[in-house]
Amino acid sequence: MRGVAHSWLVAALLASDVLGGACTPPTRTPTVNQPPLPVLRAPASARVGEVLLVDGEASQDPGGALSDAHLLFGDGSDPQAGLSAEHAWQAPGLYLVELYVIDDAGASARARSRIQIDP
Amino acid sequence: MALTRPAGRRDPPSWDARPDYGPRVRAAIAALPLLLALGCPEAPPLSLTVDPATLDADGLARARVIARARDPIEGAVVSFIATGGALSSSSAVLVDGEATVELIAPLERELGRHAERRIELSASIALTESERLDAATTLVAVPPTTGAPLIFLDADPPAAVAGAGGSVRLHLLTRRIAEGTVLTVEAPGFDVDSEAVVQADTSATAALTVPATPGDATVTVSEPASGASASVVVRFVAAGEPLFDLTGTFAQVGPARVKLVSGALAPNPQCAVAPSVILATFVQTGLDVQASYQTCDVTFPPVTSIVGTITNRATEAFYAAIPVVEQRFTLPSGELLAEYAPPPSIVVVGAALGDAESEALPTEADDPRVEDTDQDGRPGVTVENSLGGLQNIVFRNVGKAGGRVLSSNRIVGDQVGDLLATTETSVFGMAGAFLPDTSALGSVVELVRIDGAYGAFDADADADGTLTCAEVKDAAAAVAELVAPDTPFDCGEER
């Protein structure tokens, strides 16, 4: 009886394996440049005038290299070139911080975060 | 003759005698013939989910946005787009078939007076120059139940002739203010009800008496307990003066509708809505208006063809390449509901034509009229097409937007046909053969002041004194009220 049970189970598993194999196409690899991967780290909150590090150093480009990056702080101040910068917000509010990165093939990507500035 | 069984052999087990493998195994075995007949189960190559699907618009709440690839793809990066809120990243690498980012909720101001705002999310993977996987889903942002009270204020009519008698009705809408709350109403130098009481439906009203002499009344309504307030400016003018002043900045929101005809489409024809957002700036002198229109966003609707769904995307450089349209026109009257009918705008991008309105578009990249308008090193302007990859095109858009001036803050074209926009496109290369013929279907359009003047919405989110297209698009989502007429995908009655 045990042998019969095994043969039915093996048949079912084989069939499912055959089916599964038929339904799994070969792994593909994109042949075009993939966009860069921005990573933005910033505190969720701080106080007015407090100097904070906005860190995008973990950003990367999967198929090449980053060629340009700049940061926006959401308070009307000038954009800052580079992946990281220190910044202090001068008024309370909820600000949108943005990191733009561009790779050496011209593709761009953006990471965003919000920071609450308290009095 | 009786058959006897050789020694050592056993009868095959009856079904009942077979061991109990459990319901899952039995179901799998029973389904084998069906699975074999049907082949592999069909799932979309790329799917997109968001959790939660509803988010408080507090600027802080987050939803997880997950793209899943059906088939293994090595080294792929998923690109994400959201029409509202803020994505933690516009790209994420595919790991074990999944890529995850977060959507940070929009601010409540981005909802405007709407009870909710739908945010469209899309994800894509570029596999080759001509193949891309796409997926989309929707999230709904709703007003937060906690937070500071909020007041919206409108005047009806928004202007009147001084000395004409009567009063202006002040309409209030509130959020997170209890029924029965007494709001303070002030308009220094003018006669106005001093209080308004919040009703069960969150509304309230007050009256402002039309003065004997001209002047702008700044009405401010506030809730003393929280300090929440809202203002509106009501114009009282001398007889014969325009009742409105359009000078300032507006968002023009137009859900243009188009009909596409091509043998490559399935079904053929197809009808679609292609919303656009334009930054309109006016200087009004008497009844003369000097206007400029800058295109900030055009949504290309997906179409279904005999080879599948085709989507198009444009880069920021594409929009930057669209020239600003300058126009001068004269309004027929200064009364409220005056006709707003600027001349049609004609825009050609990607080529310099002697006659922008009627000259045939170039069809070859080496045509001397072709220009690299978006300065990306390719002829014409570049859009990304899910079927054809990067497409270098020249296009001509002829648009006509009209309506009625409701106030200094709002122009509305709510009659189907008030907006008519057609686009003619020339694609360099083979893909041009599959381009559909496009014709305009009538739609509606509205222009809403977004510069904060006259108590209007102020789109300058970062308070730097300038409006970017990103700010204009956010504002448009908050202030737009008209929706496109029904547009059946297969054109329905329009066929």
Side-chain angles (χ1 to χ4, degrees):
Chain A
M1 197 65 174
R2 174 168 291 204
V4 173
H6 279 173
S7 65
W8 273 90
L9 195 55
V10 167
L13 290 173
L14 276 175
S16 77
D17 193 47
V18 168
L19 279 176
C23 291
T24 304
T27 299
R28 298 186 64 181
T29 303
T31 60
V32 291
N33 179 55
Q34 298 294 290
L37 298 163
V39 177
L40 178 62
R41 295 193 179 106
S45 63
R47 294 197 173 279
V48 168
E50 187 177 346
V51 178
L52 300 175
L53 174 65
V54 178
D55 181 5
E57 297 292 342
S59 303
Q60 56 178 299
D61 184 57
L66 297 177
S67 65
D68 195 11
H70 59 270
L71 288 156
L72 294 170
F73 304 102
D75 57 358
S77 60
D78 290 338
Q80 183 96 29
L83 285 167
S84 296
E86 290 186 330
H87 190 76
W89 285 261
Q90 301 304 324
L94 190 58
Y95 295 92
L96 186 65
V97 184
E98 300 176 276
L99 167 66
Y100 287 81
V101 294
I102 301 172
D103 70 12
D104 50 7
S108 63
R110 173 177 67 183
R112 304 170 103 182
S113 184
R114 282 218 172 89
I115 182 167
Q116 175 73 51
I117 301 297
D118 298 318
Chain B
M1 186 174 65
L3 293 175
T4 57
R5 186 178 63 213
R9 294 192 61 178
R10 292 179 292 191
D11 288 330
S14 69
W15 183 257
D16 291 339
R18 286 166 189 159
D20 185 3
Y21 306 122
R24 289 185 181 175
V25 172
R26 286 204 301 271
I29 294 169
L32 283 178
L34 182 61
L35 286 172
L36 286 167
L38 292 177
C40 299
E42 271 299 313
L46 187 67
S47 61
L48 189 63
T49 59
V50 60
D51 182 33
T54 301
L55 212 54
D56 278 358
D58 60 3
L60 294 170
R62 290 173 177 245
R64 284 169 61 83
V65 183
I66 305 176
R68 292 184 177 87
R70 180 190 63 193
D71 304 329
I73 309 171
E74 188 176 316
V77 173
V78 181
S79 295
F80 295 88
I81 293 176
T83 59
L87 285 169
S88 62
S89 179
S90 66
S91 59
V93 71
L94 202 61
V95 177
D96 294 333
E98 289 189 1
T100 302
V101 296
E102 287 188 317
L103 181 83
I104 308 168
L107 301 171
E108 186 174 9
R109 70 192 299 275
E110 295 170 41
L111 298 183
R113 300 166 192 224
H114 301 299
E116 64 177 41
R117 175 179 170 185
R118 296 176 71 81
I119 295 175
E120 309 297 334
L121 295 156
S122 62
S124 65
I125 299 174
L127 290 171
T128 70
E129 286 283 357
S130 61
E131 185 181 5
R132 202 179 74 196
L133 307 180
D134 291 286
T137 189
T138 302
L139 176 145
V140 176
V142 297
T145 53
T146 60
L150 205 57
I151 301 170
F152 298 102
L153 173 59
D154 276 319
D156 180 25
V161 175
S167 63
V168 167
R169 203 77 182 156
L170 302 168
H171 295 284
L172 293 113
L173 280 175
T174 67
R175 281 193 195 138
R176 297 179 295 275
I177 296 179
E179 178 185 0
T181 300
V182 178
L183 305 175
T184 302
V185 185
E186 294 175 312
F190 292 83
D191 178 18
V192 66
D193 290 345
S194 60
E195 293 179 347
V197 180
V198 176
Q199 306 298 307
D201 64 358
T202 75
S203 71
T205 58
L208 170 68
T209 302
V210 174
T213 56
D216 287 351
T218 301
V219 182
T220 302
V221 176
S222 55
E223 192 216 4
S226 66
S229 67
S231 294
V232 68
V233 176
V234 185
R235 284 172 63 82
F236 296 107
V237 302
E241 292 291 314
L243 282 167
F244 51 81
D245 172 22
L246 298 179
T247 299
T249 308
F250 290 68
Q252 176 178 315
V253 186
R257 300 194 307 150
V258 292
K259 183 177 184 178
L260 309 166
V261 180
S262 167
L265 296 176
N268 180 32
Q270 282 174 36
C271 287
V273 179
S276 66
V277 178
I278 291 170
L279 173 61
T281 305
F282 299 125
V283 176
Q284 180 182 339
T285 307
L287 296 178
D288 294 330
V289 178
Q290 182 178 339
S292 73
Y293 302 91
Q294 177 189 351
T295 300
C296 283
D297 191 41
V298 179
T299 303
F300 298 97
V303 296
T304 61
S305 75
I306 53 178
V307 293
T309 300
I310 303 173
T311 57
N312 289 285
R313 284 203 297 197
T315 63
E316 288 183 18
F318 171 90
Y319 295 114
I322 301 175
V324 174
V325 175
E326 306 279 356
Q327 291 183 329
R328 288 177 180 272
F329 56 93
T330 301
L331 298 162
S333 96
E335 299 294 315
L336 298 178
L337 301 181
E339 185 183 15
Y340 166 81
S345 72
I346 301 162
V347 169
V348 175
V349 183
L353 304 184
D355 180 352
E357 184 174 3
S358 58
E359 189 174 325
L361 296 180
T363 55
E364 301 295 337
D366 58 0
D367 188 310
R369 297 172 298 165
V370 173
E371 297 177 331
D372 177 13
T373 317
D374 54 3
Q375 299 181 317
D376 65 349
R378 293 164 170 262
V381 286
T382 305
V383 295
E384 189 179 346
N385 176 282
S386 62
L387 181 65
L390 295 179
Q391 305 278 293
N392 305 121
I393 68 171
V394 172
F395 77 91
R396 170 168 34 218
N397 181 275
V398 180
K400 171 184 162 295
R404 303 277 170 185
V405 180
L406 298 192
S407 71
S408 299
N409 294 355
R410 197 171 193 89
I411 302 168
V412 169
D414 58 1
Q415 303 299 306
V416 174
D418 281 339
L419 177 67
L420 275 174
T422 54
T423 299
E424 180 186 356
T425 307
S426 175
V427 179
F428 304 138
M430 287 297 290
F434 300 102
L435 275 179
D437 293 326
T438 306
S439 57
L441 300 174
S443 190
V444 295
V445 64
E446 60 189 314
L447 293 94
V448 185
R449 182 184 291 277
I450 55 169
D451 59 7
Y454 296 110
F457 185 92
D458 187 353
D460 188 8
D462 59 7
D464 67 350
T466 61
L467 286 180
T468 64
C469 270
E471 289 172 325
V472 174
K473 283 192 284 184
D474 280 344
V479 300
E481 293 183 357
L482 295 182
V483 295
D486 282 345
T487 309
F489 182 58
D490 63 356
C491 298
E493 296 297 317
E494 308 283 359
R495 291 172 74 98

